[in-house]
Amino acid sequence: MKKQKFNINVSDAVILSVKETDGGYFRMKLAAPVIARTAKPGQFISLKVNASGMPLIRRPMGIFSAGKGCVEILFKAAGKGTEILSKKKKGEIISVLGPLGNGFTVREGLRHAVLVAGGYGVSPVAFLYRELKRRKINTTVIIGAKNKKLLYKEGFKSPKITTEDGSRGFKGLVTGQLDKACAGLSCGTSAVYACGPVPMLKAVAQVSEKHGIECQVSMESMMACGIGVCLSCVCSVKEGMGTGYKRICADGPVFDSREIVWRT
Amino acid sequence: MADLSVKIAGIKMKNPVMLASGTCGFGEEFSRVFDLNLLGGIIVKGTTLKPRAGNKPPRAAETPYGMLNSIGLQNPGVEAVINEKLPFLRQFDLPVFVNIAGNSKEEYAELARLLGKAKGVSALEVNISCPNVKHKNSGLFCQDLGDVYAITKAVKRKSRVPVFVKLSAEVSDFKETARAAARAGADGLSLINTLRGMAIDIKTGKPKLANVIGGLSGPAIKPVGIRAVYEAFSAVKIPIIGMGGIASAEDAVEYLFAGASAVAVGTASFYDPLTPFKIIKGLNKYFEDNSFDSVSVIRGRVSL
Ligand SMILES: Cc1cc2nc3c(=O)[nH]c(=O)nc-3n(C[C@H](O)[C@H](O)[C@H](O)COP(=O)(O)OP(=O)(O)OC[C@H]3O[C@@H](n4cnc5c(N)ncnc54)[C@H](O)[C@@H]3O)c2cc1C
Ligand SMILES: Cc1cc2nc3c(=O)[nH]c(=O)nc-3n(C[C@H](O)[C@H](O)[C@H](O)COP(=O)(O)O)c2cc1C
Ligand code: FES
């Protein structure tokens, strides 16, 4: 039999720190050497926030950074699971599954990237941003938020900020800035990378496609298993002449926007 | 190490711990997490004659100590299962049960014929209890004793491998249902499938599942599974694979006491993929600590 390759790891990780940061987000650092070694921007991990009892199902989290034996996540206390997560203390143990999914693809010959982040989508985008900088690829970052109180922009050099209420940066949605950013780019050597709420992704895809620029979107859904066995996390994709379903956790979460059939 | 090996319907297994249908795909994903060779067996995703796209998302919702799903039997169809999925599983020293689902007894029979010819199938598990596909009267096949008998019989006639019939606990007389399957020649029973349930998002007033109703699984349903296995054990002689909410070795032992010969882990491996191994390890310890020398020592030995 073929040599087996165990490339999804499940382990108990020590929490190294939990910090409240900009925009009401929490940043958690975990000691997870196996995951840290191979994680790529756009991949995610899944956490069992309580060792036993409720919530039963793991919570998927984008990877904010990975390296030196550690993995970092960025999250909002938005509900039951993330509330518990935000109250964890340094030294506590948490079960981590990952790295999961396929990350963003950075093509050979890519010269200019436009990154678009909304909400906690800023987490995987920050990871990708650092990777693109390292590879010396020209990068424009656009971050959208409802208002300045919900904004996370740490670590980005002069990002273009948009807020829906105009309390910081440009007033409006990310698409206005994206349209401008795409205008001067040559389609063959540029790409748009986006993570955020689905309506934002759809709008970003439309703008990118209008400019003929490749667009990779990171999708999300309720996930029961996170590894591709339960088929609960599917999204509609174009398949031949019709449509089909793909698993966001295992076939994504990053998809070429032209593949997605957007639900209105 | 205790001897955990079991033989059910003539199939030898290293231990009684299997993966439940629909919760382990066709093994590929879990093979990236752990060594499938350590398992007692695997029951692969529900397979139909033609590929099925499955239901619209959202397809899952978390509930107290469980979850609802309405996957709708998404699968690549029997031909792809035989040509693309089974060869992968043949690399392992692992009994493979193929779960089948159809819309009529003819479809079940055809599936049994095709899979009977395929290499690497140890047994069939006949799903006549899926809450996520529509049948006549919108009920489950297993709610009609005539259907239970006819489908089991049709599959038995075509199958070259042992046939396990998978039932739901949502029937009016569980013992009669189990007897109908046994009379038709079933070599074993798989108990239980999910229970139909529903959840509503109170912010929007909409059902949490696009399909409205889905199947409840996980620890929440364990007592129902134990009851079903207990009743079936008293009604029929054929072996039973117990499932429903198994998350620990203690849960597995409870199913063995109720009358199961083997157990299958489903939902628990979503939130802890290593559950099957923790159970195998825990069973070893339990059998050693109690100096029980085989699984059959406790099977069905609940003392009343
Ligand atoms: C691939 C992926 C990456 C993610 N990355 C991040 C991240 O980096 N930071 C972050 O803050 N959040 C992230 N999320 C979302 C995060 O997992 C959910 O917000 C979180 O599970 C909500 O859990 P909760 O228990 O706090 O809320 P709940 O009280 O359970 O519910 C609040 C809301 O979250 C949704 N939700 C519940 N469970 C899940 C689940 N398992 N998957 C998706 N949505 C769910 C519910 O539908 C509900 O609308 C990601 C989700 C996915 C699918
Ligand atoms: C996501 C999901 C998909 C399932 N798909 C199938 C299926 O295709 N065929 C089948 O017979 N049972 C299916 N089941 C039922 C399980 O095999 C099992 O009977 C049930 O979930 C109870 O076990 P558990 O509580 O350990 O999950 C599915 C269950 C879940 C949660
Ligand atoms: S969450 Fe189970 S298949 Fe994606």
Side-chain angles (χ1 to χ4, degrees), chain B residues 10 34 41 78 114 116 162 186 203 218 221:
Chain B
F34 55 67
V78 67
L114 293 169
K203 274 185 252 147
I221 71 167

Side-chain angles (χ1 to χ4, degrees), chain A residues 236-254:
Chain A
S236 297
V237 294
K238 291 168 197 150
E239 224 174 60
M241 301 297 282
T243 65
Y245 290 121
K246 274 195 176 174
R247 301 163 302 180
I248 292 174
C249 70
D251 303 313
V254 179

Side-chain angles (χ1 to χ4, degrees), chain A residues 1 4-8 10 53-59 222 224-225 227 229-232 234 245 247 263, chain B residues 22-23 29-32 34-35 37 53 55-57 59-60 62 64-66 71 74 91-92 270-271 274:
Chain A
M1 105 158 250
Q4 300 186 55
K5 198 167 165 201
F6 304 116
N7 50 11
I8 298 179
V10 48
M54 295 286 286
L56 195 66
I57 303 295
R58 281 174 188 264
R59 297 300 191 252
M222 153 66 186
C225 75
I227 66 170
V229 294
C230 74
L231 307 178
S232 69
V234 298
Y245 290 121
R247 301 163 302 180
R263 282 190 290 153
Chain B
T23 64
E29 294 82 7
F30 277 126
S31 78
R32 298 173 57 194
F34 55 67
D35 183 0
N37 290 306
N55 292 331
K56 267 214 220 91
R59 291 175 170 185
E62 193 178 29
Y65 291 93
I71 309 304
Q74 176 179 340
Q91 303 174 76
F92 301 91
F270 296 165
Y271 56 87
L274 300 183

Side-chain angles (χ1 to χ4, degrees), chain A residues 25-26 42-46 49 55 57-64 72-85 100 119-124 195 218-225 233 248-249 252-253, chain B residues 60 62 201 203 208:
Chain A
Y25 284 93
F26 291 86
Q43 287 189 301
F44 63 100
I45 57 176
S46 201
V49 301
I57 303 295
R58 281 174 188 264
R59 297 300 191 252
M61 288 286 153
I63 299 174
F64 177 79
E72 271 186 300
I73 55 168
L74 184 76
F75 62 94
K76 268 252 157 76
K80 298 183 298 283
T82 43
E83 188 72 41
I84 296 170
L85 210 52
L100 302 173
Y120 55 73
V122 73
S123 171
C195 187
S218 181
M219 303 288 285
E220 64 162 60
S221 140
M222 153 66 186
M223 291 182 175
C225 75
C233 65
I248 292 174
C249 70
Chain B
E62 193 178 29
D201 182 337
K203 274 185 252 147
K208 288 192 179 174

Side-chain angles (χ1 to χ4, degrees), chain A residues 100-193:
Chain A
L100 302 173
N102 302 303
F104 294 107
T105 308
V106 180
R107 266 185 297 112
E108 265 324 297
L110 183 78
R111 299 260 291 280
H112 202 120
V114 182
L115 311 190
V116 188
Y120 55 73
V122 73
S123 171
V125 163
F127 191 6
L128 177 64
Y129 175 76
R130 279 179 249 111
E131 173 70 12
L132 293 171
K133 284 277 144 195
R134 198 181 58 77
R135 292 168 64 165
K136 303 207 163 41
I137 292 166
N138 245 316
T139 303
T140 306
V141 179
I142 304 168
I143 303 173
K146 274 215 163 56
N147 59 59
K148 67 176 182 188
K149 288 204 191 82
L150 299 174
L151 188 66
Y152 183 94
K153 57 179 173 43
E154 236 175 80
F156 296 103
K157 207 174 144 208
S158 46
K160 296 190 190 319
I161 307 290
T162 68
T163 50
E164 286 174 35
D165 67 353
S167 54
R168 180 72 45 86
F170 302 94
K171 184 173 164 83
L173 302 172
V174 291
T175 39
Q177 288 306 306
L178 177 64
D179 200 29
K180 281 190 200 151
C182 286
L185 299 179
S186 95
C187 23
T189 55
S190 316
V192 172
Y193 299 91

